[in-house]
Protein backbone atom coordinates (compact mmCIF):
# COMPACT_ATOMS: atom_id res chain seq x y z
CA UNK A 1 0.00 0.00 0.00
CA UNK A 2 1.36 3.40 -0.96
CA UNK A 3 1.27 5.69 2.07
CA UNK A 4 3.00 8.68 0.41
CA UNK A 5 1.69 10.32 -2.73
CA UNK A 6 0.69 13.66 -4.23
CA UNK A 7 -3.06 14.14 -3.77
CA UNK A 8 -5.08 15.58 -6.63
CA UNK A 9 -7.70 18.26 -6.06
CA UNK A 10 -11.25 16.99 -5.90
CA UNK A 11 -12.22 19.59 -8.48
CA UNK A 12 -10.39 21.84 -10.91
CA UNK A 13 -12.88 24.71 -10.61
CA UNK A 14 -14.10 26.88 -7.76
CA UNK A 15 -17.28 28.93 -8.20
CA UNK A 16 -17.30 32.50 -6.98
CA UNK A 17 -21.05 32.96 -7.18
CA UNK A 18 -21.94 32.47 -10.85
CA UNK A 19 -18.29 32.96 -11.94
CA UNK A 20 -16.20 29.78 -12.32
CA UNK A 21 -12.51 30.09 -11.34
CA UNK A 22 -10.60 27.33 -13.08
CA UNK A 23 -7.21 26.14 -11.89
CA UNK A 24 -6.06 25.35 -15.42
CA UNK A 25 -6.71 28.92 -16.56
CA UNK A 26 -4.96 30.36 -13.50
CA UNK A 27 -1.83 28.34 -14.24
CA UNK A 28 -1.77 29.60 -17.83
CA UNK A 29 -2.28 33.22 -16.76
CA UNK A 30 0.42 33.03 -14.09
CA UNK A 31 2.80 31.55 -16.64
CA UNK A 32 2.16 34.40 -19.08
CA UNK A 33 2.85 37.04 -16.41
CA UNK A 34 6.07 35.31 -15.35
CA UNK A 35 7.28 35.09 -18.95
CA UNK A 36 6.56 38.77 -19.65
CA UNK A 37 8.15 39.87 -16.37
CA UNK A 38 11.40 37.99 -16.94
CA UNK A 39 11.42 38.81 -20.64
CA UNK A 40 11.09 42.51 -19.88
CA UNK A 41 14.07 42.41 -17.49
CA UNK A 42 16.21 40.62 -20.07
CA UNK A 43 15.09 42.96 -22.85
CA UNK A 44 16.08 46.03 -20.85
CA UNK A 45 19.45 44.42 -20.06
CA UNK A 46 19.97 43.98 -23.81
CA UNK A 47 19.36 47.70 -24.39
CA UNK A 48 15.64 47.62 -25.17
CA UNK A 49 12.86 49.74 -23.71
CA UNK A 50 10.64 48.76 -20.83
CA UNK A 51 7.21 47.65 -21.97
CA UNK A 52 8.22 46.45 -25.42
CA UNK A 53 8.00 42.77 -24.44
CA UNK A 54 4.48 43.25 -23.10
CA UNK A 55 3.41 45.15 -26.21
CA UNK A 56 4.51 42.31 -28.45
CA UNK A 57 3.08 39.69 -26.08
CA UNK A 58 -0.33 41.23 -26.74
CA UNK A 59 0.06 39.78 -30.24
CA UNK A 60 1.94 36.60 -29.38
CA UNK A 61 -0.23 35.25 -26.53
CA UNK A 62 -3.60 35.12 -28.36
CA UNK A 63 -1.95 33.61 -31.43
CA UNK A 64 -0.20 31.09 -29.20
CA UNK A 65 -3.40 30.03 -27.45
CA UNK A 66 -5.16 29.51 -30.77
CA UNK A 67 -2.17 27.62 -32.17
CA UNK A 68 -1.88 25.41 -29.11
CA UNK A 69 -5.55 24.52 -29.24
CA UNK A 70 -5.50 23.85 -32.98
CA UNK A 71 -2.53 21.49 -32.63
CA UNK A 72 -4.27 19.58 -29.85
CA UNK A 73 -7.59 19.29 -31.70
CA UNK A 74 -5.92 18.25 -34.97
CA UNK A 75 -3.65 15.63 -33.43
CA UNK A 76 -6.37 14.30 -31.09
CA UNK A 77 -9.35 14.83 -33.36
CA UNK A 78 -10.94 11.54 -32.22
CA UNK A 79 -11.67 13.17 -28.87
CA UNK A 80 -13.96 15.70 -30.52
CA UNK A 81 -15.12 14.27 -33.83
CA UNK A 82 -15.29 10.56 -33.10
CA UNK A 83 -18.41 8.51 -32.59
CA UNK A 84 -20.40 9.74 -29.62
CA UNK A 85 -18.28 12.90 -29.30
CA UNK A 86 -19.47 16.50 -29.37
CA UNK A 87 -17.46 18.77 -31.66
CA UNK A 88 -18.42 21.78 -29.53
CA UNK A 89 -16.03 20.45 -26.87
CA UNK A 90 -13.16 21.43 -29.17
CA UNK A 91 -13.73 25.04 -28.08
CA UNK A 92 -13.68 24.27 -24.34
CA UNK A 93 -10.08 25.23 -23.79
CA UNK A 94 -10.61 25.47 -20.03
CA UNK A 95 -10.97 21.69 -19.88
CA UNK A 96 -7.35 21.31 -20.94
CA UNK A 97 -5.66 20.53 -24.20
CA UNK A 98 -2.95 22.87 -25.50
CA UNK A 99 -0.14 21.62 -27.71
CA UNK A 100 3.11 23.47 -27.05
CA UNK A 101 4.25 22.90 -30.63
CA UNK A 102 1.26 24.75 -32.08
CA UNK A 103 1.47 27.42 -29.38
CA UNK A 104 5.09 28.24 -30.18
CA UNK A 105 4.59 28.09 -33.96
CA UNK A 106 1.53 30.33 -34.17
CA UNK A 107 2.71 32.45 -31.25
CA UNK A 108 5.83 33.21 -33.28
CA UNK A 109 3.59 34.52 -36.07
CA UNK A 110 1.90 36.89 -33.64
CA UNK A 111 5.28 37.96 -32.25
CA UNK A 112 6.55 38.60 -35.77
CA UNK A 113 3.61 40.93 -36.41
CA UNK A 114 4.27 42.79 -33.17
CA UNK A 115 7.99 43.08 -33.89
CA UNK A 116 7.33 44.42 -37.36
CA UNK A 117 5.06 47.10 -35.95
CA UNK A 118 7.73 48.13 -33.44
CA UNK A 119 10.61 47.87 -35.90
CA UNK A 120 12.67 45.42 -33.86
CA UNK A 121 14.26 42.07 -34.81
CA UNK A 122 12.19 39.01 -33.90
CA UNK A 123 15.26 36.82 -33.05
CA UNK A 124 16.45 39.30 -30.42
CA UNK A 125 12.99 39.45 -28.83
CA UNK A 126 12.75 35.65 -28.85
CA UNK A 127 16.14 35.40 -27.14
CA UNK A 128 14.99 37.72 -24.37
CA UNK A 129 11.77 35.76 -23.86
CA UNK A 130 13.18 32.20 -24.16
CA UNK A 131 13.77 31.37 -20.46
CA UNK A 132 10.49 33.08 -19.57
CA UNK A 133 8.64 30.74 -21.92
CA UNK A 134 10.21 27.77 -20.15
CA UNK A 135 9.04 29.16 -16.80
CA UNK A 136 5.57 29.71 -18.24
CA UNK A 137 5.46 26.05 -19.23
CA UNK A 138 6.59 25.06 -15.75
CA UNK A 139 3.61 26.97 -14.32
CA UNK A 140 1.17 25.82 -16.97
CA UNK A 141 1.86 22.11 -16.39
CA UNK A 142 0.24 22.37 -12.98
CA UNK A 143 -3.00 22.97 -14.79
CA UNK A 144 -2.86 19.27 -15.73
CA UNK A 145 -2.73 18.47 -12.02
CA UNK A 146 -5.95 20.43 -11.44
CA UNK A 147 -7.62 18.54 -14.29
CA UNK A 148 -6.12 15.15 -13.33
CA UNK A 149 -4.77 14.54 -16.81
CA UNK A 150 -1.60 13.65 -18.71
CA UNK A 151 -0.16 11.42 -16.00
CA UNK A 152 2.19 8.51 -16.59
CA UNK A 153 2.23 4.80 -15.87
CA UNK A 154 1.04 3.36 -12.58
CA UNK A 155 3.63 3.46 -9.80
CA UNK A 156 3.93 3.22 -6.02
CA UNK A 157 6.77 5.74 -5.72
CA UNK A 158 6.44 8.21 -2.82
CA UNK A 159 5.93 11.09 -5.25
CA UNK A 160 3.22 9.34 -7.27
CA UNK A 161 0.11 11.39 -8.03
CA UNK A 162 -3.25 10.08 -6.88
CA UNK A 163 -5.92 10.01 -9.58
CA UNK A 164 -9.60 9.52 -8.78
CA UNK A 165 -12.22 7.79 -10.91
CA UNK A 166 -13.57 9.88 -13.74
CA UNK A 167 -14.17 10.04 -17.48
CA UNK A 168 -11.39 8.16 -19.31
CA UNK A 169 -9.39 7.51 -16.13
CA UNK A 170 -9.08 4.83 -13.47
CA UNK A 171 -8.37 5.52 -9.82
CA UNK A 172 -4.82 4.79 -8.70
CA UNK A 173 -1.36 6.27 -8.23
CA UNK A 174 0.65 7.20 -11.33
CA UNK A 175 3.86 8.91 -12.40
CA UNK A 176 3.28 12.68 -12.13
CA UNK A 177 4.55 13.52 -15.59
CA UNK A 178 3.20 17.05 -15.19
CA UNK A 179 5.63 17.46 -12.27
CA UNK A 180 8.54 15.94 -14.22
CA UNK A 181 8.00 18.34 -17.10
CA UNK A 182 7.54 21.30 -14.77
CA UNK A 183 10.89 20.58 -13.09
CA UNK A 184 12.54 19.98 -16.45
CA UNK A 185 11.33 23.37 -17.70
CA UNK A 186 12.81 25.05 -14.64
CA UNK A 187 16.13 23.44 -15.52
CA UNK A 188 15.81 24.58 -19.15
CA UNK A 189 15.22 28.17 -18.03
CA UNK A 190 18.32 28.05 -15.81
CA UNK A 191 20.38 26.54 -18.65
CA UNK A 192 19.38 29.24 -21.14
CA UNK A 193 20.10 32.05 -18.66
CA UNK A 194 23.53 30.60 -17.84
CA UNK A 195 24.48 29.93 -21.48
CA UNK A 196 23.32 33.38 -22.57
CA UNK A 197 25.52 35.04 -19.95
CA UNK A 198 28.46 32.75 -20.64
CA UNK A 199 28.46 32.77 -24.44
CA UNK A 200 26.54 35.99 -25.26
CA UNK A 201 23.99 34.20 -27.43
CA UNK A 202 22.32 36.31 -30.08
CA UNK A 203 20.33 36.20 -33.34
CA UNK A 204 17.85 33.66 -31.97
CA UNK A 205 20.37 31.18 -30.55
CA UNK A 206 19.13 31.48 -26.95
CA UNK A 207 15.64 30.62 -28.18
CA UNK A 208 16.99 27.71 -30.23
CA UNK A 209 18.79 26.38 -27.14
CA UNK A 210 15.53 26.53 -25.20
CA UNK A 211 13.73 24.61 -27.93
CA UNK A 212 16.44 21.93 -28.17
CA UNK A 213 16.69 21.44 -24.41
CA UNK A 214 12.93 21.27 -23.98
CA UNK A 215 12.61 18.66 -26.73
CA UNK A 216 15.10 16.38 -24.97
CA UNK A 217 13.00 16.36 -21.82
CA UNK A 218 9.68 16.17 -23.62
CA UNK A 219 10.89 13.08 -25.51
CA UNK A 220 11.54 10.88 -22.46
CA UNK A 221 8.59 12.25 -20.47
CA UNK A 222 6.25 11.52 -23.39
CA UNK A 223 7.27 7.84 -23.24
CA UNK A 224 5.87 7.62 -19.71
CA UNK A 225 2.40 8.96 -20.52
CA UNK A 226 -0.55 6.61 -20.86
CA UNK A 227 -3.18 8.96 -22.27
CA UNK A 228 -4.58 8.21 -25.71
CA UNK A 229 -2.36 9.37 -28.58
CA UNK A 230 -1.56 8.63 -32.21
CA UNK A 231 1.46 6.42 -32.92
CA UNK A 232 3.81 6.26 -35.89
CA UNK A 233 5.92 3.09 -36.13
CA UNK A 234 4.94 2.31 -32.57
CA UNK A 235 6.15 5.68 -31.25
CA UNK A 236 3.90 8.45 -29.96
CA UNK A 237 3.40 11.37 -32.35
CA UNK A 238 4.76 13.92 -29.87
CA UNK A 239 7.98 11.92 -29.54
CA UNK A 240 8.52 12.16 -33.29
CA UNK A 241 7.72 15.86 -33.14
CA UNK A 242 10.29 16.31 -30.37
CA UNK A 243 12.96 14.56 -32.45
CA UNK A 244 12.30 16.61 -35.58
CA UNK A 245 12.12 19.95 -33.75
CA UNK A 246 15.27 19.11 -31.77
CA UNK A 247 17.21 18.48 -34.98
CA UNK A 248 15.97 21.72 -36.53
CA UNK A 249 16.93 23.70 -33.40
CA UNK A 250 20.45 22.24 -33.31
CA UNK A 251 20.97 22.91 -37.02
CA UNK A 252 19.90 26.50 -36.52
CA UNK A 253 22.29 26.87 -33.57
CA UNK A 254 25.25 25.65 -35.62
CA UNK A 255 24.47 27.59 -38.80
CA UNK A 256 23.58 30.78 -36.98
CA UNK A 257 26.82 30.73 -35.00
CA UNK A 258 28.81 30.48 -38.25
CA UNK A 259 26.83 32.93 -40.35
CA UNK A 260 26.03 35.54 -37.70
CA UNK A 261 28.44 35.24 -34.77
CA UNK A 262 28.16 37.48 -31.76
CA UNK A 263 25.11 39.31 -30.48
CA UNK A 264 23.02 42.20 -31.79
CA UNK A 265 24.47 45.52 -30.67
CA UNK A 266 21.16 47.36 -31.09
CA UNK A 267 17.91 45.52 -30.37
CA UNK A 268 15.51 48.46 -30.47
CA UNK A 269 16.04 51.59 -32.58
CA UNK A 270 15.93 54.91 -30.77
CA UNK A 271 12.66 56.64 -31.61
CA UNK A 272 13.70 59.97 -30.05
CA UNK A 273 12.20 61.78 -27.04
CA UNK A 274 8.84 62.29 -28.72
CA UNK A 275 8.36 58.57 -29.25
CA UNK A 276 9.66 57.44 -25.89
CA UNK A 277 9.24 58.84 -22.40
CA UNK A 278 7.39 62.20 -22.09
CA UNK A 279 9.71 63.10 -19.23
CA UNK A 280 12.67 62.72 -21.57
CA UNK A 281 11.02 65.07 -24.05
CA UNK A 282 10.44 67.73 -21.39
CA UNK A 283 14.01 67.41 -20.18
CA UNK A 284 15.34 67.88 -23.70
CA UNK A 285 13.20 70.99 -24.17
CA UNK A 286 14.44 72.43 -20.87
CA UNK A 287 18.05 71.82 -21.88
CA UNK A 288 17.49 73.53 -25.23
CA UNK A 289 15.87 76.51 -23.53
CA UNK A 290 18.72 76.78 -21.01
CA UNK A 291 21.23 76.66 -23.85
CA UNK A 292 19.44 79.44 -25.73
CA UNK A 293 19.32 81.65 -22.63
CA UNK A 294 22.99 80.98 -21.92
CA UNK A 295 23.92 81.94 -25.47
CA UNK A 296 21.95 85.18 -25.25
CA UNK A 297 23.66 86.13 -21.98
CA UNK A 298 27.09 85.36 -23.45
CA UNK A 299 26.37 87.55 -26.48
CA UNK A 300 25.18 90.40 -24.29
CA UNK A 301 28.36 90.21 -22.21
CA UNK A 302 30.57 90.30 -25.30
CA UNK A 303 28.96 93.46 -26.82
CA UNK A 304 29.19 96.56 -24.63
CA UNK A 305 27.48 99.94 -24.97
CA UNK A 306 29.76 102.45 -26.74
CA UNK A 307 28.96 104.94 -24.04
CA UNK A 308 30.89 102.84 -21.54
CA UNK A 309 34.09 103.53 -23.38
CA UNK A 310 34.97 99.82 -23.53
CA UNK A 311 35.65 97.81 -26.61
CA UNK A 312 34.67 94.21 -27.36
CA UNK A 313 36.95 91.21 -26.74
CA UNK A 314 40.55 91.64 -27.77
CA UNK A 315 41.76 90.00 -30.95
CA UNK A 316 44.05 87.03 -30.40
CA UNK A 317 46.38 88.33 -33.10
CA UNK A 318 47.27 91.28 -30.91
CA UNK A 319 44.81 94.02 -31.64
CA UNK A 320 46.22 94.84 -28.22
CA UNK A 321 45.78 98.24 -26.69
CA UNK A 322 43.07 100.44 -28.01
CA UNK A 323 42.79 104.19 -28.65
CA UNK A 324 39.82 106.35 -29.35
CA UNK A 325 39.76 105.17 -32.98
CA UNK A 326 40.04 101.48 -32.11
CA UNK A 327 36.34 100.90 -32.38
CA UNK A 328 36.23 102.20 -35.92
CA UNK A 329 39.31 100.25 -36.97
CA UNK A 330 37.97 97.05 -35.47
CA UNK A 331 34.73 97.23 -37.42
CA UNK A 332 34.69 96.14 -41.08
CA UNK A 333 34.66 98.95 -43.61
CA UNK A 334 31.28 98.02 -44.97
CA UNK A 335 29.62 98.30 -41.58
CA UNK A 336 27.82 101.63 -41.22
CA UNK A 337 26.35 101.28 -37.78
CA UNK A 338 29.53 102.05 -35.72
CA UNK A 339 30.44 105.02 -38.00
CA UNK A 340 27.05 106.55 -37.58
CA UNK A 341 27.26 106.17 -33.85
CA UNK A 342 30.69 107.91 -33.86
CA UNK A 343 29.49 110.87 -35.91
CA UNK A 344 26.58 111.29 -33.58
Amino acid sequence: MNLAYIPSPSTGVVHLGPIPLRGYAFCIIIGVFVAVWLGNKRWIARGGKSGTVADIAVWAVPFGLVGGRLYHVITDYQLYFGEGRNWVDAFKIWEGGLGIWGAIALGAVGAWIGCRLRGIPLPAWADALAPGIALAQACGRWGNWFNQELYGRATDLPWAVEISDGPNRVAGTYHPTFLYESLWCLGVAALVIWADRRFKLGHGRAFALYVAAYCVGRGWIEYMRVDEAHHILGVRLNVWTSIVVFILAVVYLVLSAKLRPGREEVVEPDRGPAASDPATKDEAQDQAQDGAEGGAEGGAAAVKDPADGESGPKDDAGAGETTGDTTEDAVPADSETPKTAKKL
Side-chain angles (χ1 to χ4, degrees):
M1 180 179 180
N2 188 6
L3 299 179
Y5 54 82
I6 302 173
S8 292
S10 58
T11 177
V13 57
V14 176
H15 287 84
L16 185 62
I19 303 175
L21 304 177
R22 303 182 183 277
Y24 187 88
F26 269 116
C27 291
I28 298 296
I29 293 171
I30 292 172
V32 170
F33 275 103
V34 169
V36 172
W37 168 78
L38 180 58
N40 185 64
K41 290 177 65 69
R42 286 172 52 81
W43 184 253
I44 294 174
R46 289 285 300 275
K49 300 176 184 177
S50 178
T52 297
V53 169
D55 291 343
I56 298 175
V58 170
W59 289 90
V61 172
F63 274 74
L65 291 175
V66 173
R69 189 60 176 178
L70 283 175
Y71 180 89
H72 167 72
V73 172
I74 292 173
T75 55
D76 290 309
Y77 61 87
Q78 72 282 354
L79 300 177
Y80 307 100
F81 303 102
E83 184 178 354
R85 303 288 184 173
N86 186 358
W87 63 271
V88 177
D89 293 340
F91 297 94
K92 297 179 180 179
I93 192 173
W94 56 87
E95 294 182 354
L98 288 175
I100 185 61
W101 316 112
I104 294 297
L106 206 55
V109 175
W112 175 81
I113 295 174
C115 287
R116 290 277 294 180
L117 294 175
R118 292 297 296 264
I120 65 176
L122 174 61
W125 185 85
D127 283 342
L129 204 67
I133 296 176
L135 292 182
Q137 290 178 255
C139 296
R141 273 306 175 196
W142 284 87
N144 302 136
W145 175 67
F146 279 102
N147 287 350
Q148 296 194 46
E149 61 184 0
L150 305 187
Y151 45 84
R153 296 186 296 270
T155 182
D156 58 357
L157 291 172
W159 55 83
V161 61
E162 182 188 35
I163 300 298
S164 60
D165 276 320
N168 302 318
R169 65 175 187 250
V170 179
T173 55
Y174 300 86
H175 277 284
T177 51
F178 75 91
L179 175 61
Y180 299 160
E181 187 167 334
S182 180
L183 294 175
W184 183 268
C185 288
L186 292 177
V188 170
L191 171 65
V192 174
I193 292 174
W194 170 82
D196 194 26
R197 291 177 177 175
R198 175 67 177 81
F199 301 106
K200 304 297 182 184
L201 302 176
H203 302 286
R205 288 189 288 277
F207 183 81
L209 176 61
Y210 145 72
V211 172
Y214 171 75
C215 288
V216 172
R218 180 60 183 267
W220 69 265
I221 293 172
E222 191 73 22
Y223 266 116
M224 303 181 67
R225 286 169 50 171
V226 295
D227 54 297
E228 186 178 355
H230 293 287
H231 290 71
I232 300 176
L233 300 178
V235 179
R236 291 171 67 97
L237 174 62
N238 281 330
V239 175
W240 285 110
T241 305
S242 298
I243 294 173
V244 172
V245 176
F246 170 80
I247 294 174
L248 293 176
V250 172
V251 170
Y252 180 88
L253 270 171
V254 174
L255 294 180
S256 177
K258 291 183 177 181
L259 298 176
R260 306 189 70 182
R263 176 186 281 182
E264 300 93 337
E265 294 184 0
V266 178
V267 297
E268 188 166 3
D270 187 6
R271 296 176 178 269
S276 55
D277 188 358
T280 306
K281 179 180 179 181
D282 295 339
E283 182 180 351
Q285 291 176 343
D286 292 341
Q287 291 177 353
Q289 183 176 358
D290 292 343
E293 293 176 354
E297 292 175 358
V303 179
K304 299 295 184 178
D305 191 318
D308 294 339
E310 298 180 7
S311 63
K314 295 180 180 180
D315 190 294
D316 292 339
E321 302 175 0
T322 60
T323 62
D325 296 334
T326 303
T327 304
E328 182 177 358
D329 296 337
V331 177
D334 57 349
S335 177
E336 296 297 335
T337 304
K339 294 182 178 180
T340 304
K342 183 176 180 181
K343 291 179 181 179
L344 292 175

